[in-house]
Amino acid sequence: MVESMIVVELGAEQMEMRSPLRSWKRLSKPRRTEFYLRWSLYLMALFQLPGVLVAAGSAAKDADEHTISAIRVSLLVGLASTLVLLRAYRTALDRYLKRPVGRTRWIATAAGLTVAGSWAVLLLGPSAGGAENPAGPPFTLVVVGYLLVFSFGPACVGLTPGRAALTGLGMLLAVGAAALAAGLDLAMACGFLIAVAVSMAFVGGSCRSFAWLVSVIWELDGAREAQSRLAVAEERLRFSRDLHDVMGRNLTTIALKSELAVQLARRGRPEAAEQMAEVQRIAQESQREVRDVIRGYRTADLHAEAIGARAVLRSADVVCEIDLGERVDELPPPVQSVFGWVIREATTNVLRHSEAGRCLIRLRQEGGRAVLELENDGVPAVPLPSQGSGTGLRGLRERLAAHDGELTVPAAEAGTFRMLATVPLHPGEAPR
């Protein structure tokens, strides 16, 4: 009993350890990309604190009471600035992606805290230009430099380039005034501000490029979805156009002949019966033509569907490998038609329900049966409609069942979807 409890507990721990991995696999590629780039921005905020710690630690050796006070303020400002920057980067990225967020108060808070903290660190630090420290306060300059460089990222991401530049310039001027007030000579202050401005531009540009990459990924995902909807809309338009071309002329003729028959009947002319007979003939012909249109719409040509699937998948950056074999033309027309429908539905599933980069379509014959195999990667780690819960797969099963065929979804490796459509070749139908 105890051993079984231990096994259960170990299994639960393993499930907890694997749960983050399963959660990661459930995310789509755009969400994974955004997660990675978002945390790259968060690291920009976290990188600030180690720099402040190193600078403060180097100044703590043989430091007087005045310097110790400046070190404590530096650590406090660095920690507070890091926490505020984490939220500011989050708000800035959501604002860049045009998501519903509040005002830019977190971006303004990060900039204001940086300026106020820089003033406190510089004024509380050792006085510059004195006999004890003629070169100025290098420890405070390093701390302020870290604060300025990494706190400029949210402004570059969440604001327009012009407003971000004005914000950065305002921060530099405010900190420059604090440096002069702390006793730093003009030449050293100008050199310090120029070096910090270059670093701010580099970090700010990097942060904005991360946000730009996230927006591009989401735009590409939206374009892919729009492409699928456009393909469906084009097919509906084609069907409506064919139906209009077939029925438009016949309905116009029926209306004219019916009106003529009414006029002849009112006059007691025997030709009215001939006109109505002609209307009846045209109506029957129209019924036949409509059936032909519907039959042509519902009949899928195997070669045409294979070529269309390859073109559609390649346009979606999916490498499609198709092997129909050398004896495909010897298959019975009904078998070719139902396999064409399988390819059409499988292509739709690849575009809508996966993020595939590779797709395989192979037709072979074995044991008196024609087998169409379809396989693609990029399947998320969520339950798939493999047992008939999907409308498309259920419809394919019905079509295959009409030819004594079946559709199966055998087990495949993680991230891969595999489907087999088989149709028996009855005596007299098998290719020779």
Side-chain angles (χ1 to χ4, degrees):
M1 183 67 178
V2 175
E3 293 179 355
S4 62
M5 292 178 62
I6 294 175
V7 171
V8 171
E9 291 177 357
L10 290 176
E13 291 179 358
Q14 292 177 357
M15 290 293 291
E16 291 178 357
M17 294 176 62
R18 288 197 296 264
S19 59
L21 182 60
R22 287 201 305 270
S23 300
W24 173 259
K25 290 183 177 179
R26 289 193 184 98
L27 296 177
S28 61
K29 286 183 179 179
R31 292 190 178 279
R32 293 181 189 177
T33 305
E34 180 180 344
F35 182 86
Y36 170 76
L37 293 175
R38 184 180 290 273
W39 272 96
S40 298
L41 292 177
Y42 292 163
L43 287 177
M44 290 289 187
L46 295 176
F47 282 159
Q48 173 183 260
L49 190 57
V52 174
L53 291 175
V54 171
S58 62
K61 300 177 180 178
D62 301 329
D64 54 12
E65 184 177 354
H66 195 60
T67 304
I68 293 296
S69 300
I71 291 174
R72 291 174 178 173
V73 172
S74 299
L75 295 178
L76 181 61
V77 172
L79 179 60
S81 178
T82 300
L83 296 177
V84 172
L85 282 178
L86 289 174
R87 182 55 189 265
Y89 272 114
R90 177 182 175 181
T91 302
L93 182 58
D94 290 339
R95 182 179 176 84
Y96 185 88
L97 298 176
K98 296 181 175 58
R99 293 174 179 171
V101 293
R103 299 178 180 177
T104 58
R105 58 179 180 271
W106 283 105
I107 301 175
T109 301
L113 180 61
T114 298
V115 172
S118 299
W119 272 80
V121 170
L122 288 173
L123 294 180
L124 291 177
S127 59
E132 299 178 358
N133 194 8
F139 133 70
T140 54
L141 286 182
V142 172
V143 171
V144 171
Y146 273 107
L147 294 176
L148 284 173
V149 169
F150 290 102
S151 63
F152 185 56
C156 287
V157 174
L159 302 179
T160 61
R163 291 185 177 182
L166 290 177
T167 301
L169 180 61
M171 294 170 63
L172 287 173
L173 293 178
V175 173
L180 294 177
L184 198 67
D185 59 74
L186 183 60
M188 190 172 187
C190 291
F192 166 71
L193 293 178
I194 292 175
V196 171
V198 173
S199 302
M200 289 173 64
F202 176 77
V203 172
S206 301
C207 293
R208 192 169 182 87
S209 66
F210 289 161
W212 176 78
L213 284 176
V214 175
S215 66
V216 169
I217 292 298
W218 281 113
E219 288 178 3
L220 291 177
D221 184 69
R224 183 176 182 178
E225 184 178 354
Q227 184 182 28
S228 301
R229 292 197 301 266
L230 181 61
V232 175
E234 288 179 350
E235 185 64 16
R236 291 176 177 174
L237 180 61
R238 185 192 70 82
F239 178 72
S240 63
R241 183 175 61 249
D242 292 347
L243 191 61
H244 175 271
D245 294 342
V246 169
M247 294 299 298
R249 177 180 60 84
N250 291 348
L251 290 177
T252 302
T253 304
I254 289 174
L256 292 175
K257 286 188 173 293
S258 299
E259 183 179 357
L260 178 59
V262 169
Q263 296 295 332
L264 292 174
R266 289 176 178 175
R267 298 174 185 177
R269 301 285 296 275
E271 291 87 352
E274 296 178 2
Q275 295 297 327
M276 291 307 299
E278 184 69 13
V279 169
Q280 182 182 11
R281 185 190 64 79
I282 296 175
Q284 293 173 349
E285 182 181 352
S286 299
Q287 289 178 349
R288 184 173 60 257
E289 290 179 349
V290 169
R291 285 194 295 267
D292 292 339
V293 170
I294 295 176
R295 187 180 301 111
Y297 178 73
R298 298 186 65 181
T299 300
D301 180 78
L302 180 57
H303 289 282
E305 293 298 333
I307 295 174
R310 177 181 293 169
V312 170
L313 292 175
R314 284 184 176 178
S315 66
D317 294 331
V318 180
V319 178
C320 183
E321 179 183 351
I322 299 178
D323 182 14
L324 299 181
E326 300 178 356
R327 304 167 63 187
V328 59
D329 293 331
E330 300 176 12
L331 290 175
V335 176
Q336 294 190 37
S337 177
V338 72
F339 279 164
W341 270 105
V342 173
I343 292 177
R344 180 184 296 186
E345 179 63 26
T347 304
T348 304
N349 288 339
V350 170
L351 292 175
R352 290 184 177 179
H353 306 304
S354 73
E355 298 172 349
R358 177 188 62 84
C359 180
L360 170 66
I361 301 175
R362 181 187 296 120
L363 178 62
R364 64 180 185 273
Q365 299 172 28
E366 57 184 23
R369 301 172 69 88
V371 181
L372 181 65
E373 178 184 1
L374 302 104
E375 180 178 324
N376 66 274
D377 60 359
V379 178
V382 295
L384 294 172
S386 59
Q387 301 302 324
S389 59
T391 304
L393 295 184
R394 184 165 58 248
L396 289 182
R397 285 191 171 94
E398 295 174 356
R399 292 180 183 275
L400 290 168
H403 301 275
D404 297 330
E406 61 179 357
L407 183 71
T408 58
V409 183
E413 61 183 25
T416 302
F417 179 75
R418 188 164 175 260
M419 182 172 66
L420 296 178
T422 60
V423 176
L425 298 174
H426 299 293
E429 294 184 349
R432 298 178 180 271

